[in-house]
Amino acid sequence: MDVAYDWNKLRPPSKLKDFEAKWSRRSEPLEFSGVWRFRELFPFANDSDILTIGEGQTLCQRSDYVAKYTGMNASRVFLQYEGMNPSGSFKDNGMTGAFAHARMVGARRAACASTGNTSASLSIYCAASDLRAIIFIGSGKISYGKLAQALDHGALTVQIAGDFDDALARVQQVSKQLGIYLVNSINPFRLEGQKTIMYRVLEAFNWEVPDWILVPGGNLGNSSAFGKAFIELMELGLINRCPRIAVINAAGADTFYQLYERQNLRWQGGRYEQTLVDSYMRGLDASNARADTIASAIEINRPVNLPKGLRTLERCGGVVREVTDQEILDAKAKIAAGGLGCEPASAASVAGLKKLRAEGIIGADERVACILTGHQLKDPTATVAYHSADPKMFEETLGKRGVRRANYANRAVQVPNDLDEIIKAIDVYA
Ligand code: F0G
């Protein structure tokens, strides 16, 4: 399901630059919101139904450090840092959209299945309003940072014996049976809010369209929303070309990569080959294949937005790549050493840039925006294991997933509790 607008009856903006003026009215909460200040581009809600908690105040930061790491020229790489959202991930962009709709239909309870960030976001919006949050998580499949948020914000947390794909199937059944409002990205109003990530990228590029957007792919909500944003801006005559979009899967959860790049599945104006998808999924069932990656946020084998993701690729000249956990963690360490902290899934975008640059698909002088979807503190376990000098911790967390070396580890220095020894160590290392 898609949200469509009859632009003939609405008043879309005549130029994107006009949005800049909204900032001068930031004492009004809806103009302060980095999502709702663009609401003329997704005008489905009454202002009175909107709950904003300051989402979308995010940064698009130039990173020459990451440019160097990925083989790009200086001043060409920008990182769209969605970790700055109230719940620490891009999900708040969409959650505020879904929440507006939930209020429009008078929902009292809202549910999601989650690898952690959707549940954190839902929990925080529910805590700030009078809706009750119900979250479904797979067992042992959620990082502590995210679980902590759901528990702390008071969500009813249902841990089922299974993974995310199982939890998503169940939450859809349960929501239907109990009449609970579902906020997974299958909900089209979520995607309307997530379109604004692209408006903010355009704003950071002074309303010029960059050459590439790189985004991690899990359930493909972002990939779908970004494509829709650009398709609509084209239709409205507000931009004259779409950027190319690269969706980056983790190698341990690479359904989209397999279907698009290996099996040639294409959108074909909506007539995509469903039989190809069905047979791929049956294959997963038959071999009992489970997604497995350190990037737990994108540990998903059955993306619900697969068709819309295909639409994005067709309309935006897209590509899909997969990156290993080794590549993800090395990229994450480099992003952090350059000054922005993200969780493993987010670093897939930068690892994907490095790969596409090495393949010559992205030119060194093209302008790119990598989306950093979630905050570094969401998943401290992966980070500490990477930097740790403790081989047991490394092996248990990363080694078993094929990570061989922490190429950019920053190890803690062990020193005796002795002033001279401490001073000596500092002289050696800094
Ligand atoms: N990055 C992060 C940090 C995420 O949490 C997710 C998805 C993605 C990327 C993938 O985005 O689904 O739009 O392709 N997390 C979901 C969750 C599944 O439950 O929090 P997508």
Side-chain angles (χ1 to χ4, degrees):
M1 203 194 302
D2 241 349
V3 180
Y5 304 98
D6 183 351
W7 294 111
N8 294 323
K9 295 204 185 119
L10 298 161
R11 243 189 283 144
S14 57
K15 48 183 194 314
L16 288 170
K17 204 167 171 50
D18 290 348
F19 284 110
E20 287 171 19
K22 304 252 183 189
W23 190 235
S24 64
R25 298 207 302 275
R26 63 186 175 277
S27 58
E28 296 168 31
L30 296 191
E31 307 302 351
F32 179 79
S33 166
V35 172
W36 295 106
R37 70 189 168 92
F38 293 106
R39 63 195 179 282
E40 285 144 284
L41 291 170
F42 57 106
F44 69 82
N46 298 318
D47 286 4
S48 57
D49 286 317
I50 296 172
L51 171 66
T52 173
I53 56 171
E55 60 287 319
Q57 294 300 329
T58 60
L59 184 74
C60 188
Q61 184 163 302
R62 173 176 152 179
S63 179
D64 288 353
Y65 193 82
V66 169
K68 192 163 174 222
Y69 174 63
T70 52
M72 299 289 292
N73 291 343
S75 84
R76 303 280 98 178
V77 176
F78 289 74
L79 303 176
Q80 175 68 21
Y81 186 44
E82 290 297 314
M84 276 171 73
N85 273 290
S87 78
S89 86
F90 76 91
K91 300 285 179 181
D92 300 345
N93 291 283
M95 200 55 69
T96 189
F99 244 68
H101 184 250
R103 290 173 142 205
M104 285 161 71
V105 299
R108 286 184 302 110
R109 298 184 289 185
C112 68
S114 185
T115 55
N117 280 326
T118 306
S119 54
S121 185
L122 173 63
S123 309
I124 203 170
Y125 277 87
C126 281
S129 66
D130 52 5
L131 263 78
R132 178 88 166 110
I134 303 163
I135 68 161
F136 283 56
I137 55 176
S139 52
K141 294 287 187 181
I142 180 172
S143 69
Y144 267 12
K146 301 171 190 180
L147 181 59
Q149 289 178 290
L151 298 175
D152 225 16
H153 292 302
L156 172 63
T157 304
V158 183
Q159 195 153 20
I160 69 163
D163 63 10
F164 172 82
D165 293 317
D166 298 319
L168 186 55
R170 287 293 179 211
V171 78
Q172 291 184 68
Q173 294 170 325
V174 171
S175 299
K176 201 165 176 187
Q177 202 164 324
L178 298 181
I180 299 175
Y181 191 86
L182 185 63
V183 299
N184 278 104
S185 56
I186 197 168
N187 178 328
F189 297 97
R190 271 268 311 271
L191 303 190
E192 291 307 289
Q194 285 170 218
K195 292 191 309 194
T196 64
I197 301 171
M198 290 301 102
Y199 306 152
R200 298 196 298 273
V201 167
L202 288 177
E203 189 173 37
F205 280 81
N206 212 3
W207 308 111
E208 281 173 24
V209 179
D211 297 302
W212 285 91
I213 304 289
L214 290 103
V215 59
N219 238 347
L220 302 176
N222 267 339
S223 311
S224 304
F226 296 177
K228 186 169 190 281
F230 290 119
I231 293 165
E232 288 172 349
L233 291 179
M234 288 282 285
E235 282 167 4
L236 289 170
L238 292 169
I239 55 172
N240 53 19
R241 67 179 177 90
C242 287
R244 297 189 68 186
I245 294 188
V247 180
I248 314 299
N249 273 164
D254 65 347
T255 294
F256 200 44
Y257 171 76
Q258 292 295 340
L259 285 171
Y260 186 79
E261 297 289 350
R262 293 295 172 96
Q263 304 200 18
N264 247 341
L265 180 69
R266 291 292 181 273
W267 169 243
Q268 297 180 318
R271 292 176 305 279
Y272 67 95
E273 239 181 288
Q274 181 69 47
T275 48
L276 209 58
V277 181
D278 292 343
S279 98
Y280 186 83
M281 297 302 173
R282 274 200 306 276
L284 290 180
D285 286 340
S287 57
N288 198 21
R290 296 280 155 182
D292 184 27
T293 166
I294 191 70
S296 58
I298 53 174
E299 195 173 52
I300 297 171
N301 261 347
R302 297 165 188 275
V304 287
N305 288 300
L306 185 85
K308 290 180 184 172
L310 291 173
R311 176 176 65 184
T312 291
L313 296 182
E314 180 171 291
R315 299 291 295 273
C316 298
V319 299
V320 188
R321 287 295 178 272
E322 58 172 357
V323 290
T324 62
D325 284 4
Q326 177 79 59
E327 291 168 314
I328 287 174
L329 290 178
D330 284 341
K332 186 176 103 56
K334 281 295 193 180
I335 295 163
L340 286 180
C342 68
E343 63 170 287
S346 311
S349 59
V350 169
L353 172 58
K354 189 170 164 57
K355 179 163 271 186
L356 287 162
R357 174 70 207 104
E359 290 176 13
I361 306 237
I362 297 185
D365 214 35
E366 292 194 278
R367 295 218 297 177
V368 308
C370 294
I371 314 302
L372 300 184
T373 45
H375 198 281
Q376 177 185 43
L377 298 179
K378 289 280 191 173
D379 187 0
T381 311
T383 307
V384 174
Y386 182 87
H387 291 293
S388 166
D390 176 357
K392 189 161 168 266
M393 185 175 186
F394 185 92
E395 188 47 39
E396 276 170 10
T397 313
L398 309 178
K400 68 172 190 191
R401 294 207 159 90
V403 180
R404 289 286 146 256
R405 284 162 48 90
N407 289 314
Y408 307 106
N410 176 31
R411 306 229 187 281
V413 178
Q414 308 293 328
V415 282
N417 184 8
D418 176 282
L419 185 59
D420 290 342
E421 292 288 339
I422 295 168
I423 286 173
K424 226 194 290 167
I426 290 173
D427 274 345
V428 171
Y429 291 104

